[in-house]
Amino acid sequence: MKTQIEPFKIKTVEHLYITTVEQREQYLKESSYNPFSLRSDRVTIDLLTDSGTTAMSSKQWAAIMDGDEAYAGSVSYYKFEDAVRNFSGFKYIIPTHQGRAAEKVLFSVVLNSDSVVPNNTHFDTTHGNIDFLGATALDLPTDEGVQPELIAPFKGNMDIQKLENTIKKYGKERIPIGLTTITNNSGGGQPVSMQNIRETSEVLHKYGIPFFIDCCRFAENAYFIKLREKGYENTPVIDICREMFSYADGALMSCKKDGMSNTGGFIATNNEKIAEGCRTNLIIMEGFLTYGGLARRDLEALAIGFTEVVDENYLKYRVGQSTELAKQLTDAGVPLVLPAGAHALYIDAKRFAPHIKPEHFPGQSISCELYRLAGIRACEIGSIMFGRYENGQYIAPPMELVRLAIPRRVYTKSHMDYIAEAVIEAYNNREKLRPMKITWEAKFLRHFTVKCDYL
Ligand SMILES: *Cc1c(COP(=O)(O)O)cnc(C)c1O
């Protein structure tokens, strides 16, 4: 059979909020043209993020009932520990309430203000936690990784030569840890190859530097390796996962992504000294060792989520969903970052709305229009998020993007067709997109609360 089906059927439904264009124009105005400020009951299709927005399975909901809420030694923790160890192979498994908490706990053990941390590309909370300790986060993507139009299989890779040069430049003493992020979220959700993970590990280990994987989307990354890397065509995804982690000394994860649940995180490692430090910090920052800031029932949902996420029928559907949407959009001429990642599509706003200068926020204008037209909420990743003025001069980020993040198991094929129709209609009427201005902004991370208007 050629028709790709959702590998699940629906037992409980959640109603969508259907609104009119006139209502949405009013709501947009009321939220100062910032989709982040919209109430979710005014959004029809929510593509703001794939984080914590997963639909859980009936098995996960059933397991939640079975949660053992013991403060210490909860049985639910041991199920979680077994599940993480099963795909990662690590010895010490430390739960946290979400990904950034894992970052905070780990970094406050290994970093000081003199430290430098290389990564293919830091996610913004990872960058923020490193900055917060006064240390330096360095992004070392390959040259092909930063070209939106270039089609290549592993645009998430670390530049190995740059990694080596960085270690030589700063000295290994200043680099207490090296990271790689799979898939490379801030780099467009692009995967990292097994070869690149292995080479990153070799270089870091040559200098005695521990190597950790920020593994929020480890199963999606493993599936891309199966699809695209020679020699893995017939390897089960679970074995690809185990091999990826075998090159690392540890991992940290936001389970709100490939944990197939609505919350959670962890640090996992074989390094006893780091584990020891993390456990001490965990008790101060998050909670006891067997729950780490979570309800124990959440650990139950995660234990099952980790088996569901490596199911290849699920991964085929997951990657198929974004690949199909990307195809519909590119066939209609919509400029995207290619190839499509699994968890999101990124519209290249510079080419979509070339008549709007970066300082007039083409990405924000497109995302407001998608909401106005169809009630779709997307996320600008461009000048609203990263643009700034220096001595009266506008400094634009390298790319102006609009991210359409795809929640796991939430939207069906007809929802995806609806998204495609809306984006194509906005594109066909692109000359009507209007430049925007900021009317109010916060000092830090302004995109969350910024107020905008049309020029
Ligand atoms: C989401 C994410 C994080 C942070 O996790 P939270 O659960 O949102 O705190 C860190 N790294 C990457 C790559 C992520 O995608």
Side-chain angles (χ1 to χ4, degrees), residues 14 57 59 62 94 96 100 171 181 184 188 205 221 233 241 243 257 262 274 288 301 317 350 361 383 406 409 448:
E14 186 178 346
S57 68
K59 289 206 169 73
I94 299 162
T96 61
R100 70 198 69 184
T181 306
N184 190 342
H205 287 158
N221 200 85
E233 303 82 355
C241 295
E243 183 181 340
K257 318 325 182 350
N262 306 118
I274 291 178
F288 191 64
Y317 143 80
K350 258 189 210 169
F361 310 116
S383 277
I406 306 172
R409 300 190 293 207
F448 289 117

Coordinates of all heavy atoms in Angstrom, one line a residue, residues 14 57 59 62 94 96 100 171 181 184 188 205 221 233 241 243 257 262 274 288 301 317 350 361 383 406 409 448:
E14 N -10.1 16.0 21.3 CA -10.0 17.3 21.9 C -10.5 18.3 20.9 O -10.0 18.3 19.8 CB -8.5 17.6 22.3 CG -8.3 18.9 23.1 CD -6.9 19.1 23.4 OE1 -6.0 18.1 23.3 OE2 -6.5 20.2 23.8
S57 N -0.4 8.2 24.6 CA -1.1 7.0 24.2 C -2.0 6.5 25.4 O -1.8 6.9 26.5 CB -0.1 5.9 23.8 OG 0.6 5.4 25.0
K59 N -1.8 3.7 26.6 CA -1.0 2.9 27.5 C -0.3 3.9 28.5 O -0.1 3.5 29.7 CB 0.1 2.2 26.7 CG -0.4 1.0 26.0 CD 0.6 -0.1 25.7 CE 0.1 -1.4 25.2 NZ -0.4 -1.2 23.8
A62 N -2.8 4.9 31.1 CA -3.1 3.9 32.0 C -2.0 3.8 33.0 O -2.2 3.6 34.2 CB -3.2 2.5 31.2
I94 N 19.5 10.5 36.2 CA 19.1 11.5 37.2 C 17.9 12.3 36.6 O 18.1 13.0 35.6 CB 20.3 12.4 37.5 CG1 21.4 11.5 38.1 CG2 19.9 13.5 38.5 CD1 22.7 12.2 38.1
T96 N 15.0 15.1 36.0 CA 14.7 16.5 36.3 C 13.4 16.9 35.8 O 12.8 16.1 35.0 CB 15.8 17.4 35.6 OG1 15.7 17.2 34.2 CG2 17.2 17.1 36.1
R100 N 15.9 22.3 30.7 CA 16.7 23.4 31.2 C 17.2 23.1 32.7 O 18.2 23.6 33.1 CB 16.1 24.7 31.0 CG 14.9 25.0 31.9 CD 14.0 26.1 31.4 NE 13.4 25.7 30.1 CZ 12.6 26.5 29.4 NH1 12.4 27.8 29.7 NH2 12.1 26.1 28.3
G171 N 42.7 25.8 25.0 CA 43.3 24.9 25.8 C 42.3 24.0 26.5 O 41.2 24.4 26.9
T181 N 24.2 18.5 19.8 CA 22.7 18.5 20.0 C 22.1 17.7 18.9 O 22.3 18.0 17.7 CB 22.2 20.0 20.0 OG1 23.0 20.7 21.0 CG2 20.8 20.1 20.3
N184 N 19.8 19.0 15.6 CA 20.3 20.3 15.9 C 19.1 21.3 15.8 O 18.8 21.8 14.7 CB 21.4 20.6 14.8 CG 22.1 21.9 15.1 OD1 21.6 22.7 15.9 ND2 23.2 22.1 14.5
G188 N 17.8 24.4 12.6 CA 16.8 24.0 11.7 C 16.3 22.6 11.8 O 15.7 22.0 11.0
H205 N 37.8 13.2 23.2 CA 38.5 12.2 24.1 C 40.0 12.3 23.9 O 40.7 12.0 24.9 CB 37.9 10.9 23.8 CG 36.5 10.7 24.4 ND1 35.6 9.7 23.9 CD2 35.9 11.4 25.4 CE1 34.5 9.8 24.6 NE2 34.6 10.8 25.5
N221 N 16.7 11.7 15.3 CA 18.0 11.7 14.7 C 18.4 10.3 14.3 O 19.0 10.1 13.2 CB 19.0 12.2 15.8 CG 20.3 12.7 15.1 OD1 20.4 13.8 14.7 ND2 21.3 11.8 15.0
E233 N 21.0 1.2 6.8 CA 19.7 1.0 6.2 C 18.9 -0.1 6.9 O 17.7 0.0 7.0 CB 19.8 0.6 4.7 CG 20.6 1.5 3.8 CD 22.1 1.3 3.9 OE1 22.6 0.5 4.7 OE2 22.8 2.0 3.2
C241 N 20.3 4.1 18.2 CA 20.4 4.9 19.4 C 21.5 4.5 20.3 O 22.3 5.3 20.8 CB 19.1 4.8 20.2 SG 17.7 5.5 19.3
E243 N 24.2 2.9 19.6 CA 25.5 3.2 19.1 C 25.8 4.7 19.3 O 26.9 5.0 19.7 CB 25.7 2.8 17.6 CG 27.1 3.0 17.1 CD 27.3 2.7 15.7 OE1 26.6 1.9 15.1 OE2 28.3 3.2 15.1
K257 N 10.2 16.4 24.4 CA 10.3 16.1 22.9 C 10.1 14.6 22.7 O 9.0 14.1 22.8 CB 11.6 16.7 22.4 CG 12.1 18.0 22.8 CD 11.2 19.1 23.1 CE 11.7 20.5 23.5 NZ 13.1 20.7 23.8
N262 N 4.4 15.2 28.4 CA 4.2 16.6 28.5 C 5.2 17.3 29.4 O 5.2 18.5 29.5 CB 2.7 16.9 28.9 CG 1.7 16.2 28.0 OD1 1.0 15.3 28.4 ND2 1.8 16.5 26.7
I274 N 30.9 13.2 37.9 CA 29.9 14.1 37.4 C 28.5 13.7 38.0 O 27.8 14.5 38.5 CB 29.8 14.1 35.9 CG1 31.1 14.8 35.4 CG2 28.6 14.9 35.4 CD1 31.2 14.9 33.8
F288 N 14.3 15.0 45.3 CA 15.0 13.8 45.7 C 15.4 13.0 44.4 O 14.8 13.2 43.3 CB 14.2 12.9 46.6 CG 15.0 11.8 47.2 CD1 16.1 12.0 48.0 CD2 14.6 10.5 46.9 CE1 16.8 11.0 48.5 CE2 15.4 9.4 47.4 CZ 16.5 9.6 48.2
A301 N 4.7 7.6 32.6 CA 4.4 8.0 31.2 C 5.7 8.0 30.3 O 5.6 7.6 29.2 CB 3.7 9.4 31.2
Y317 N 5.9 7.6 10.2 CA 4.8 8.5 10.1 C 5.3 10.0 10.5 O 4.9 10.9 9.8 CB 3.7 8.1 11.1 CG 2.9 9.1 11.8 CD1 1.9 9.9 11.2 CD2 3.2 9.4 13.1 CE1 1.2 10.9 11.8 CE2 2.5 10.4 13.8 CZ 1.5 11.1 13.2 OH 0.8 12.1 13.8
K350 N 13.0 35.7 4.4 CA 13.7 36.6 3.6 C 13.3 36.5 2.1 O 13.1 37.4 1.4 CB 15.2 36.4 3.7 CG 15.9 37.4 4.6 CD 17.4 37.2 4.5 CE 18.1 37.6 5.8 NZ 19.5 37.2 5.8
F361 N 10.7 43.1 10.3 CA 10.2 41.9 10.8 C 9.3 41.1 9.8 O 8.2 40.8 10.0 CB 9.4 42.1 12.1 CG 10.2 43.0 13.1 CD1 9.8 44.3 13.4 CD2 11.4 42.5 13.6 CE1 10.5 45.0 14.3 CE2 12.2 43.3 14.5 CZ 11.7 44.5 14.8
S383 N 14.5 38.5 13.3 CA 14.8 39.8 13.9 C 14.1 40.1 15.1 O 14.6 40.8 16.0 CB 14.6 40.9 12.8 OG 15.7 41.0 12.0
I406 N 5.8 20.8 14.8 CA 4.7 19.8 14.6 C 4.6 19.0 15.9 O 5.5 18.2 16.2 CB 4.9 19.0 13.4 CG1 5.1 19.9 12.2 CG2 3.7 18.0 13.2 CD1 5.4 19.3 10.9
R409 N 1.9 13.3 17.2 CA 0.7 12.5 17.2 C -0.6 13.3 17.4 O -1.6 12.8 17.8 CB 0.7 11.4 18.3 CG 1.8 10.4 18.1 CD 1.7 9.2 19.1 NE 1.8 9.5 20.5 CZ 2.3 8.6 21.4 NH1 2.6 7.4 21.0 NH2 2.4 9.0 22.7
F448 N 9.1 36.8 23.6 CA 8.0 36.2 24.4 C 6.9 37.2 24.6 O 5.7 36.9 24.7 CB 8.4 35.6 25.7 CG 9.2 34.3 25.6 CD1 10.6 34.3 25.9 CD2 8.7 33.2 25.0 CE1 11.3 33.1 25.8 CE2 9.4 32.0 24.9 CZ 10.7 32.0 25.3

